[in-house]
Amino acid sequence: VTVENPGFEDPAMPSGEVSNTVPSWTEIDPTDAGYIKHMSLDSNAYDLNAYRSDGSTLIQPVGTVEAGTYTLTVEVGARPAAPFGSYTIGLFANDGTTTTPLATVTDPVTPNKDGTTLEERFATATVTAEVLALDAAKGQSLEIHLIANSSEVNFDQVALDFVPGPDDVNVYLQTQRFNKSLPGRSE
């Protein structure tokens, strides 16, 4: 499944810069606006953009809900200069009126904020959703939600894999009467 701007590399920025624009994502801001931050460590070639949030939610529609298994992975990061907060990642179905969770997970990993490299300061969070052939969510819009519930949480490298499940199958049954003799039994 294609996730647009999965590593928050758009817009491209020099080290230390920030952008309040988050292309391809819708930002819902209940408490504090998030932003894309270009992070780097002195004497470390590992540079990246990540989305930093203190309470906002990012949403991206990524297609239509189909029968099968979805696996969402997100790199979740922290930094030494800030307390690490609580977060939720999830897959949701949206029928145009109501958004219904298919699967969510809150605080599945805690990154090492004292890591000596940026890579060490991120951990992979995973959520899996299984949609059955007769699920009411089939055909609805499929959305990724990245939610910072409190304090600072950084998100990066969002990926969604999909393994299709079996399609609906029509089964027709027919009844008929018959007589069967069983061995060792007389009637």
Side-chain angles (χ1 to χ4, degrees):
V1 178
T2 301
V3 177
E4 300 292 330
N5 200 14
F8 304 101
E9 300 304 320
D10 179 18
M13 297 176 293
S15 182
E17 294 293 315
V18 299
S19 172
N20 290 326
T21 302
V22 188
S24 302
W25 293 87
T26 299
E27 186 177 35
I28 298 173
D29 176 28
T31 58
D32 189 13
Y35 53 89
I36 294 177
K37 169 83 173 170
H38 182 88
M39 294 186 254
S40 63
L41 290 173
D42 294 336
S43 72
N44 187 337
Y46 190 85
D47 288 290
L48 60 86
N49 281 7
Y51 179 79
R52 181 175 291 170
S53 176
D54 282 324
S56 57
T57 297
L58 285 181
I59 298 173
Q60 185 177 137
V62 289
T64 303
V65 177
E66 298 176 31
T69 303
Y70 293 91
T71 303
L72 174 65
T73 58
V74 180
E75 294 294 314
V76 179
R79 63 189 180 103
F84 182 70
S86 174
Y87 64 97
T88 301
I89 61 172
L91 292 166
F92 290 76
N94 187 332
D95 67 4
T97 306
T98 306
T99 302
T100 307
L102 297 174
T104 63
V105 63
T106 298
D107 302 329
V109 296
T110 302
N112 176 12
K113 71 183 220 164
D114 297 319
T116 57
T117 67
L118 286 174
E119 194 169 46
E120 290 174 349
R121 293 182 188 169
F122 281 80
T124 304
T126 303
V127 63
T128 301
E130 185 173 344
V131 178
L132 303 176
L134 298 175
D135 197 307
K138 271 184 59 182
Q140 296 181 15
S141 176
L142 176 63
E143 299 177 345
I144 295 171
H145 289 218
L146 308 177
I147 306 160
N149 299 318
S150 64
S151 297
E152 183 180 302
V153 179
N154 296 298
F155 297 113
D156 197 23
Q157 300 307 319
V158 181
L160 182 59
D161 292 321
F162 175 67
V163 177
D167 289 331
D168 294 339
V169 176
N170 291 325
V171 176
Y172 299 94
L173 300 176
Q174 177 180 344
T175 60
Q176 91 183 44
R177 185 180 180 137
F178 67 94
N179 291 323
K180 173 79 175 160
S181 296
L182 300 173
R185 185 174 167 144
S186 61
E187 292 191 31

